[in-house]
């Protein structure tokens, strides 16, 4: 008898509504020159470099580092689906999947990110980190 291993993946969802039209939100979310300005969960971290080939099969990479130089890591993956101003689906380097939807309503855009949790950090810590980055994006988008 062959035993099949099944693993149920925990997914986490974060969301926010940005007071800006979806076209602007999309440009700021996907443009490498913008990603370096908003992609951090706290003020003591920053993204020093970003590359973004936004198309199915294209790759992305962001270098995230503590400002004091004590720690850093690469965050990257491959795009599976790209529907401009609506949807991005990608697979991270560790195989986890992420889905980001952009829903316009008048002059606002609701962003919903759903991602498969990793096993190192608690669900609360992961949700808090991704939510903080999304909140930082909202701040950036509304001030530019």
């Amino acid at each position: 008898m062959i035993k099949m291993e099944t693993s149920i993946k925990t997914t986490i969802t974060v969301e926010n509504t940005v007071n800006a039209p979806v076209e602007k939100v999309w440009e700021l979310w996907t443009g490498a020159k913008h990603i370096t300005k908003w992609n951090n969960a706290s003020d003591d971290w920053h993204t020093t470099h970003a590359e973004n080939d936004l198309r199915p099969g294209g790759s992305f990479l962001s270098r995230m580092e503590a400002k004091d130089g004590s720690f850093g890591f690469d965050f990257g993956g491959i795009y599976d689906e790209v529907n401009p101003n609506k949807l991005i689906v990608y697979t991270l380097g560790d195989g986890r999947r992420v889905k980001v939807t952009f829903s316009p309503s008048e002059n606002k855009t609701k962003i919903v990110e759903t991602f498969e949790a990793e096993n190192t950090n608690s669900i609360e810590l992961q949700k808090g980190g991704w939510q903080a980055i999304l909140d930082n994006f909202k701040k950036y988008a509304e001030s530019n």
Side-chain angles (χ1 to χ4, degrees), residues 58-104:
S59 64
F60 65 92
L61 177 70
S62 296
R63 178 67 187 171
M64 303 172 87
E65 296 183 359
K67 286 184 178 176
D68 67 5
S70 63
F71 189 75
F73 63 93
D74 290 332
F75 181 84
I78 304 289
Y79 290 109
D80 301 308
E81 237 181 290
V82 176
N83 187 345
N85 300 328
K86 292 184 179 153
L87 173 73
I88 299 172
V89 179
Y90 59 89
T91 302
L92 294 170
D94 63 8
R96 294 182 297 134
R97 303 245 317 164
V98 180
K99 178 180 178 182
V100 187
T101 59
F102 301 82
S103 304

Side-chain angles (χ1 to χ4, degrees), residues 34-137:
H34 295 291
I35 293 168
T36 57
K37 296 184 173 108
W38 61 260
N39 190 30
N40 57 289
S42 62
D43 290 339
D44 52 349
W45 278 77
H46 59 162
T47 296
T48 58
H49 176 76
E51 298 171 16
N52 198 20
D53 182 9
L54 187 65
R55 62 181 175 80
S59 64
F60 65 92
L61 177 70
S62 296
R63 178 67 187 171
M64 303 172 87
E65 296 183 359
K67 286 184 178 176
D68 67 5
S70 63
F71 189 75
F73 63 93
D74 290 332
F75 181 84
I78 304 289
Y79 290 109
D80 301 308
E81 237 181 290
V82 176
N83 187 345
N85 300 328
K86 292 184 179 153
L87 173 73
I88 299 172
V89 179
Y90 59 89
T91 302
L92 294 170
D94 63 8
R96 294 182 297 134
R97 303 245 317 164
V98 180
K99 178 180 178 182
V100 187
T101 59
F102 301 82
S103 304
S105 176
E106 303 200 1
N107 226 19
K108 297 179 179 184
T109 305
K110 182 178 183 180
I111 302 171
V112 178
E113 283 185 280
T114 303
F115 62 97
E116 294 174 348
E118 41 94 346
N119 298 320
T120 307
N121 297 296
S122 72
I123 300 297
E124 294 77 21
L125 187 64
Q126 292 177 69
K127 183 170 186 162
W130 284 60
Q131 185 67 56
I133 291 170
L134 185 54
D135 294 348
N136 206 40
F137 173 79

